[in-house]
Amino acid sequence: MLSHAHILHGSPTHGHSRLHGESTTGDAVQTNDPSRFSLPSLFRSQAACNSTIHCTTALFLHFSGCGGTTFVRYMKTLPFLFAPTSGVSSPNLNMGCAAGTGYQALGLANVKDTRCPCEDLWRRAEHYNFWANENVVRAPLDCERVEYWVVIRHPIERLISRLFKPGAHGRLHFLQFDEMQAALNRTVVFAPSSSRHEFTGSAALNNWMVRSIAGPDVYRLPLGGVELEHLRRAERQLDRFAIVLPLANMSLLPAMLFLRYGKCVQALPPDTAQTNGGHSASSETIRAQKERALQNGEFMGSLWWHNALDLRLYESAQRLFHRRLWKGIDSLTPSQRRTAAACASLAQALAARN
């Protein structure tokens, strides 16, 4: 176990590390009391956990198209994580009041005004210490004794992979091309449909990650309504997450787990970073549509313009990841470095720093 001095924490704010539950102006604040619940721990046994504030549970914020399915599949193999079974959660371990994508099927206009309460997490955390949430806009955030993990992908790459996911009969799975164009030209809300997933309307094609992390009030803004202040809110939230991992750096997840929790875990499969959200099937028809879209300067220019703040959020996530990785490695004591060197899955990170 690493000492607290060598465990990675979010960046200090105003000269001290932010505690779970604290919030800056404009951010969601959760005030419920977790002490009523017996939470399992990422660090120790259930029996040892019931009496200490260091008992925590982890919530994976699953952005669709960011390798989350692969991430969850890997996490299920770790012996210190206790995840819900298939009878309790979805295959991607979604669980809780904001776990599914039901809000997405209802359309942008019906997104609820508030996030789910922390109590929703704590009640389930009496039985599990890891699960996921694929409805980031309503996920309970800033909850005490909850560690938040997220994987973020380059927003244009993510959008292209999702928009051109194959559907039935040679059609696109979520939106057809004319619907994409309409959603980029004016604020639209699509008719409710469970097949839409996150594509409720224009919000899903316009700084979707900033909207989702910043919360329901930002998610519901029209095209052009998401501004720099909302990016800053999302960046502050990222800074409070325990693990922020760019998809391109997925192979370094074992290093982040070691630096945060002192756990040596097995390496990920070598092709993990090339995942397409766990869904890589395609067809000649879809590939042809995708190629035409990539060559359409007006469409691609609009896509980049409408996701300028998501691009900046992604760059912030990259900087945060590398700062935490190098700071964590540099702060290892000689004894901890020897322990890390004996962990095969950390070889890449240690070699890159040397």
Side-chain angles (χ1 to χ4, degrees):
M1 179 71 61
L2 298 184
S3 68
H4 288 296
H6 293 94
I7 293 178
L8 287 176
H9 292 279
S11 298
T13 302
H14 302 307
H16 60 85
S17 297
R18 182 181 303 282
L19 299 176
H20 291 295
E22 290 186 61
S23 178
T24 57
T25 302
D27 299 329
V29 178
Q30 300 286 357
T31 58
N32 293 334
D33 179 12
S35 63
R36 301 191 310 275
F37 301 89
S38 298
L39 305 188
S41 174
L42 293 172
F43 310 109
R44 59 198 68 175
S45 69
Q46 174 73 53
C49 182
N50 289 340
S51 61
T52 173
I53 194 62
H54 297 303
C55 305
T56 59
T57 191
L59 179 67
F60 172 50
L61 299 173
H62 182 170
F63 280 114
S64 298
C66 292
T69 299
T70 301
F71 184 93
V72 166
R73 189 182 302 125
Y74 170 78
M75 287 299 176
K76 287 180 180 179
T77 68
L78 302 184
F80 62 93
L81 294 183
F82 305 97
T85 62
S86 58
V88 176
S89 69
S90 74
N92 276 343
L93 301 184
N94 290 321
M95 187 173 67
C97 83
T101 55
Y103 88 98
Q104 297 160 336
L106 293 176
L108 175 62
N110 292 319
V111 171
K112 294 185 178 180
D113 292 328
T114 59
R115 292 190 178 277
C116 293
C118 290
E119 187 167 320
D120 181 71
L121 289 181
W122 295 328
R123 184 178 300 109
R124 288 167 176 79
E126 291 188 292
H127 305 286
Y128 313 105
N129 69 357
F130 175 77
W131 69 93
N133 188 305
E134 211 164 343
N135 186 342
V136 179
V137 68
R138 292 211 61 224
L141 297 184
D142 295 311
C143 301
E144 291 185 44
R145 294 168 64 179
V146 177
E147 299 267 295
Y148 294 91
W149 302 349
V150 67
V151 178
I152 292 186
R153 186 179 184 181
H154 188 287
I156 305 303
E157 291 181 0
R158 190 202 72 82
L159 271 170
I160 293 299
S161 76
R162 294 291 286 169
L163 290 172
F164 294 93
K165 179 181 177 181
H169 311 297
R171 291 172 60 81
L172 297 172
H173 189 86
F174 301 115
L175 301 177
Q176 302 313 303
F177 191 70
D178 60 336
E179 293 176 311
M180 301 178 204
Q181 291 179 305
L184 290 168
N185 288 332
R186 64 185 186 279
T187 302
V188 300
V189 178
F190 297 123
S193 170
S194 60
S195 65
R196 296 289 193 192
H197 204 69
E198 76 267 26
F199 292 101
T200 58
S202 297
L205 287 85
N206 172 230
N207 296 312
W208 178 65
M209 290 190 293
V210 168
R211 289 174 180 268
S212 298
I213 294 175
D217 60 321
V218 177
Y219 190 92
R220 299 174 66 173
L221 292 172
L223 285 178
V226 183
E227 299 179 347
L228 186 61
E229 65 178 289
H230 305 123
L231 169 65
R232 297 300 182 225
R233 187 195 302 186
E235 288 175 329
R236 290 194 299 269
Q237 195 70 65
L238 273 187
D239 199 52
R240 296 195 290 273
F241 293 164
I243 290 181
V244 176
L245 186 68
L247 177 61
N249 301 108
M250 182 78 88
S251 63
L252 290 171
L253 175 59
M256 300 305 290
L257 292 173
F258 179 84
L259 294 171
R260 180 81 184 180
Y261 306 113
K263 301 288 186 180
C264 177
V265 297
Q266 70 269 24
L268 279 78
D271 61 346
T272 299
Q274 279 67 56
T275 183
N276 188 20
H279 316 283
S280 58
S282 188
S283 68
E284 290 299 329
T285 302
I286 300 301
R287 282 195 290 270
Q289 291 186 63
K290 178 179 177 180
E291 188 59 33
R292 286 195 297 271
L294 292 174
Q295 298 302 318
N296 186 323
E298 181 179 355
F299 172 74
M300 291 302 299
S302 183
L303 207 60
W304 280 82
W305 188 84
H306 277 297
N307 290 279
L309 296 181
D310 264 9
L311 285 160
R312 292 179 64 174
L313 183 69
Y314 176 71
E315 291 168 353
S316 294
Q318 288 182 304
R319 289 193 296 271
L320 179 62
F321 165 77
H322 285 102
R323 184 169 69 247
R324 289 180 174 180
L325 177 64
W326 303 138
K327 182 178 179 180
I329 291 176
D330 290 345
S331 66
L332 293 175
T333 66
S335 174
Q336 291 165 344
R337 188 172 289 273
R338 287 192 295 272
T339 301
C343 185
S345 61
L346 299 182
Q348 179 186 358
L350 293 174
R353 193 54 172 166
N354 293 332

